[in-house]
Amino acid sequence: MSLSKRDFMQVLGAASVAGMGLGRWAEADAATAQAGLYELPRFGNVSFLHMTDCHAQLKPIHFREPSVNLGIGSMQGQLPHLVGEHLLKHIGVRPGTALAHGYTFLDFEKAARRYGKVGGFAHLATLVKQLKASRPGALLLDGGDTWQGSATSLWTNAQDMVDACKLLGVDVMTGHWEFTYGMERVKQIVEGDFAGKLDFVAQNVKTNDFGDPVFKPYVIREINGVPCAIIGQAFPYTPIANPRYMVADWAFGIQDENMQAMVDEARGKGAQVVVVISHNGMDVDLKMASRVRGIDAIFGGHTHDGVPVAISVKNAGGTTLVTNAGSNSKFLGVMDFDVKGGKVVDFRYRLLPVFANQIQADPAMDALIAKIRAPYEAKLAEKLGVTDGLLYRRGNFNGSWDQLICDALMEVQGAEIAFSPGFRWGTSLLPGDTITRELMMDQLAITYPYATVTQMSGETLKTVLEDVADNLFNPDPYYQQGGDMVRVGGLQYTITPGEKAGSRISDMRLKGKPVEAGKSYNVAGWAPVAEDAAKAGNKPVWDVVETWLKGQGGRVKARSVNAPKLVGVAGNPGMAG
């Protein structure tokens, strides 16, 4: 896919206000830099702001974008499966700029030290207020994965994020990891805390017994006299990727037919603009956009793809724009529509990196965050060690944070192999950074954290790897049901992503010796989805990792990442050269 003239203008517009000229403001105070970098000219008469997958990160953080995000089959060479220089070349952004740092992993340590931390709700709040002031009636949409991912979100049962999102001014949201707090807690928040303030929408969540909607499928809001429908699409595979018992009474799924019915219903009620706030993942959104007509834009999440342009997808009813706004409150998407004669006639889209040292902190949000953290500050700040190497997670295969977790699971629990889930969330640490309990919990804070040790045959090991590989690399996006590839410690293997299901994994080895199909191996893991595991009395994974960290003598050596051998992907622009 080559950029159209309109797409290219989107990138130029974003670059001119958010990164290409950041050097001009390097010595300016935050207020001056903010005015220079984030003043977007108003366009049209209907605007949406979009954030997604913040994973409960209230404070500014570092976050490394992936160096491996493979597109297979028809998706090879297409957004979002472009990384590093391939992505920059595609969108016309110069390497070495702040925008290049925002969108890619390139020279991450050097760029992170130069440009500082990203995100943070106090800085995001300032930006949201500024953009809403310049775009009267603009709505802030939240794609979900908001209530999970930090120690304070876990310890407050998500209340910290509920309060922060209300203050931030979120208007409409959908969900995924929200559901891991359980049905009762989700309904308590939606029907209590959010009542009359924030709409939680999901057209694809129904009761198991009678198929009744659990949440509103959509809402219609008027923006400058234009009726706009916002339809929700929760993560369709929640009961597969996460514990089913946590949503035992609810059914999920993609539900294209019902989505079409909701679009038609909203249009029938007078909606002139129809958008979807989605947690499908970008590949799934692209396919949905080709199958469902009448949607003006899909604002996507789940896969954490920071894609700086809106992708136009043709369908039977015309064209649908598909976007994805990254993660960790690192980006804010801005979609401006020009609506005339009852329909969208033009648009402008920008994905703004949120550079914390270039935006003033909002005092009210700053105060709320301080209040939330106050009871836990000593516990959060406890020093567990200093890292000698870069710690990161995001990417199709192992990251150095994942390697640390696998090493800890094996060494503390006496296992020869470790599996760690391919979670995309988790902040990054630079060499020399202190690993505090807070930063450790950024990688581990879930409601089913149990560490496990089980016996698996070599045949079962291969089956597990094949199943996860198919979830990630199935050529049909509708069968991509989880996160990235399971992270593996101890075990080496070869993977051919373009092969058919059941034939991608080969040459599994342990300490250089072939894994035997009939032999039993001791395998450590965590985050089991089975209900029995929640009742087994196992330690939470953070106890295991903390024990390991405290046993490293104060310094944690740079991790040697156990990445698989990749076959058949040479030249794939979803992989760094």
Side-chain angles (χ1 to χ4, degrees):
M1 182 193 75
S2 60
L3 287 181
S4 67
K5 184 176 180 181
R6 176 181 287 171
D7 291 336
F8 189 63
M9 292 305 294
Q10 288 183 64
V11 175
L12 288 181
S16 68
V17 298
M20 293 289 274
L22 187 57
R24 295 172 55 200
W25 311 101
E27 304 303 321
D29 59 73
T32 304
Q34 177 185 319
L37 290 167
Y38 294 103
E39 287 289 350
L40 270 65
R42 185 178 175 186
F43 176 82
N45 53 345
V46 169
S47 296
F48 295 97
L49 312 180
H50 176 221
M51 57 175 277
T52 191
D53 295 88
C54 76
H55 284 286
Q57 295 303 320
L58 290 174
K59 301 284 283 184
I61 50 94
H62 291 299
F63 184 78
R64 179 187 183 272
E65 297 297 327
S67 53
V68 183
N69 185 7
L70 293 170
I72 301 300
S74 64
M75 291 307 299
Q76 181 171 331
Q78 306 297 311
L79 290 170
H81 302 288
L82 299 173
V83 302
E85 292 177 353
H86 301 295
L87 175 60
L88 297 185
K89 183 178 180 181
H90 190 83
I91 61 177
V93 170
R94 288 189 293 109
T97 61
L99 197 62
H101 173 53
Y103 292 143
T104 75
F105 69 93
L106 295 171
D107 297 317
F108 179 75
E109 180 187 346
K110 180 181 177 181
R113 295 190 191 281
R114 178 182 180 188
Y115 295 117
K117 293 184 177 182
V118 294
F121 262 48
H123 306 279
L124 184 62
T126 296
L127 186 55
V128 167
K129 285 181 178 179
Q130 177 176 316
L131 290 167
K132 281 193 170 185
S134 66
R135 288 159 168 76
L139 297 179
L140 175 59
L141 311 182
D142 177 1
D145 279 8
T146 303
W147 305 350
Q148 173 276 335
S150 71
T152 56
S153 64
L154 182 68
W155 296 339
T156 65
N157 207 20
Q159 195 63 47
D160 64 335
M161 298 310 301
V162 170
D163 294 343
C165 284
K166 288 195 298 183
L167 184 58
L168 185 64
V170 174
D171 294 289
V172 187
M173 75 172 292
T174 194
H176 169 205
W177 275 92
E178 285 71 16
F179 301 121
T180 63
Y181 286 95
M183 297 177 290
E184 183 178 348
R185 177 61 175 149
V186 172
K187 294 292 279 186
Q188 180 185 52
I189 292 169
V190 171
E191 296 172 0
D193 296 80
F194 286 174
K197 301 179 181 70
L198 194 163
D199 286 305
F200 191 105
V201 292
Q203 69 86 23
N204 60 328
V205 184
K206 310 286 181 59
T207 60
N208 277 324
D209 49 9
F210 299 113
D212 295 327
V214 175
F215 308 101
K216 298 175 185 176
Y218 64 88
V219 293
I220 296 180
R221 299 281 191 93
E222 196 168 280
I223 303 176
N224 299 321
V226 179
C228 302
I230 303 97
I231 303 174
Q233 177 79 358
F235 182 53
Y237 298 114
T238 297
I240 297 172
N242 307 101
R244 184 179 296 274
Y245 64 87
M246 293 181 170
V247 287
D249 297 340
W250 299 346
F252 290 72
I254 295 173
Q255 301 187 30
D256 280 350
E257 290 185 4
N258 195 62
M259 176 65 78
Q260 186 65 70
M262 294 300 98
V263 173
D264 294 344
E265 182 176 294
R267 292 282 186 189
K269 291 181 177 179
Q272 297 177 21
V273 176
V274 175
V275 301
V276 173
I277 182 75
S278 168
H279 207 89
N280 276 336
M282 193 159 191
D283 287 351
V284 179
D285 283 336
L286 290 167
K287 180 173 179 177
M288 174 178 278
S290 74
R291 292 163 60 92
V292 180
R293 63 189 183 279
I295 300 171
D296 292 300
I298 299 176
F299 300 113
H302 180 61
T303 40
H304 293 197
D305 300 308
V307 178
V309 296
I311 300 175
S312 299
V313 179
K314 300 291 186 183
N315 54 54
T319 300
T320 296
L321 303 170
V322 178
T323 74
N324 201 292
S327 66
N328 287 279
S329 68
K330 180 180 178 180
F331 298 104
L332 185 66
V334 184
M335 178 68 82
D336 294 326
F337 286 126
D338 190 18
V339 182
K340 293 178 180 176
K343 63 180 181 180
V344 173
V345 297
D346 203 356
F347 76 96
R348 298 288 184 274
Y349 179 72
R350 296 172 179 86
L351 184 66
L352 304 179
V354 180
F355 292 105
N357 60 5
Q358 304 296 327
I359 304 172
Q360 289 180 301
D362 177 71
M365 184 66 77
D366 227 10
L368 175 63
I369 294 170
K371 179 181 177 181
I372 288 167
R373 293 171 60 89
Y376 310 106
E377 279 291 4
K379 192 174 180 181
L380 291 168
E382 184 177 345
K383 178 179 175 179
L384 304 178
V386 174
T387 179
D388 289 338
L390 175 67
L391 292 177
Y392 65 92
R393 173 175 265 172
R394 176 76 174 97
N396 285 162
F397 303 101
N398 278 29
S400 49
W401 252 124
D402 302 296
Q403 190 63 51
L404 185 156
I405 294 167
C406 285
D407 291 345
L409 289 170
M410 290 188 293
E411 292 181 28
V412 174
Q413 299 189 117
E416 51 196 335
I417 296 170
F419 282 163
S420 184
F423 295 143
R424 297 184 178 94
W425 43 270
T427 55
S428 303
L429 273 71
L430 305 181
D433 281 355
T434 297
I435 304 173
T436 61
R437 178 175 284 108
E438 177 174 24
L439 293 169
M440 177 192 72
M441 290 296 288
D442 283 350
Q443 322 301 319
L444 306 172
I446 63 174
T447 57
Y448 52 105
Y450 316 105
T452 61
V453 179
T454 56
Q455 293 292 310
M456 290 188 187
S457 68
E459 182 181 16
T460 300
L461 290 171
K462 185 175 188 298
T463 298
V464 169
L465 291 174
E466 290 282 9
D467 284 351
V468 180
D470 195 54
N471 280 341
L472 181 60
F473 296 118
N474 193 297
D476 185 344
Y478 279 19
Y479 289 92
Q480 295 172 6
Q481 299 175 352
D484 282 315
M485 190 67 187
V486 62
R487 282 48 173 130
V488 179
L491 177 73
Q492 293 81 46
Y493 68 96
T494 296
I495 182 169
T496 309
E499 267 287 1
K500 64 179 185 296
S503 301
R504 294 186 177 94
I505 307 299
S506 61
D507 196 26
M508 297 191 306
R509 293 179 176 270
L510 183 63
K511 297 179 181 178
K513 296 180 179 180
V515 169
E516 300 174 34
K519 185 177 178 181
S520 184
Y521 298 88
N522 214 26
V523 182
W526 67 287
V529 297
E531 188 170 6
D532 289 347
K535 303 173 183 177
N538 290 4
K539 286 184 178 180
V541 66
W542 47 78
D543 282 359
V544 175
V545 176
E546 184 171 327
T547 296
W548 184 87
L549 286 169
K550 288 182 174 179
Q552 301 307 300
R555 297 202 72 90
V556 177
K557 294 179 181 178
R559 297 293 94 191
S560 178
V561 176
N562 179 36
K565 179 181 178 182
L566 300 177
V567 175
V569 296
N572 190 307
M575 183 171 64

